[in-house]
Amino acid sequence: MTDDYERLLGRGLAKIKDSNPSGRFEMPVPDVETHGQRTIVRNFSQIADKFRRDTQHLLKFFQKELATSGTIENGQAVFLGNITSSLITRKLADYANEFVFCKECGQPDTKMVQEGKSEILSCWACGAKRQIRNLK
Ligand SMILES: [Zn+2]
């Protein structure tokens, strides 16, 4: 029930966006600081919010991709090692392509759902579904 309702809502939103190009999704810019052997992304949970994803999911992705450990402290991500902001920016784009944007219509209005053992990315705008990597 809820899913259908959300899908309908998503369709409505997508139509509004189509007629309003200025409503385009803007990629979040990471606010990165390096302290010795630690790298802090200060706006990490805001970025996850912008993607409408769980902060822990985004953290898991970064831990795997950067092959380092990380923790969340007061909405900031703290990673071990010296990581450049350009690498973090690139990885954010990879995350968005893999876990946020619909491959069919290009909209970011998607959500992750569990179907059996698979993680599915489901698009509110066009209804497309595709299987995504399970980071667990
Ligand atoms: Zn779509």
Side-chain angles (χ1 to χ4, degrees), residues 62-122:
F62 270 86
Q63 286 178 317
K64 277 185 194 270
E65 295 288 316
L66 302 174
T68 188
S69 64
T71 50
I72 303 290
E73 290 167 20
N74 302 319
Q76 310 183 99
V78 182
F79 295 105
L80 276 182
N82 254 294
I83 303 150
T84 62
S85 69
S86 67
L87 179 60
I88 290 172
T89 303
R90 208 156 63 225
K91 290 295 170 193
L92 274 181
D94 288 349
Y95 181 86
N97 285 327
E98 190 172 353
F99 296 104
V100 181
F101 287 107
C102 172
K103 293 253 194 277
E104 298 299 320
C105 71
Q107 296 286 337
D109 307 314
T110 59
K111 65 172 177 178
M112 283 168 46
V113 289
Q114 191 91 26
E115 282 186 9
K117 282 183 182 159
S118 313
E119 292 263 29
I120 305 288
L121 190 76
S122 168

Side-chain angles (χ1 to χ4, degrees), residues 35-79:
H35 291 287
Q37 284 306 303
R38 293 189 313 162
T39 301
I40 300 168
V41 183
R42 299 177 60 187
N43 56 346
F44 200 77
S45 42
Q46 275 133 274
I47 293 170
D49 284 353
K50 184 124 202 221
F51 287 149
R52 290 199 220 104
R53 292 296 175 266
D54 192 60
T55 307
Q56 290 299 329
H57 186 263
L58 187 59
L59 181 70
K60 227 177 267 173
F61 173 83
F62 270 86
Q63 286 178 317
K64 277 185 194 270
E65 295 288 316
L66 302 174
T68 188
S69 64
T71 50
I72 303 290
E73 290 167 20
N74 302 319
Q76 310 183 99
V78 182
F79 295 105

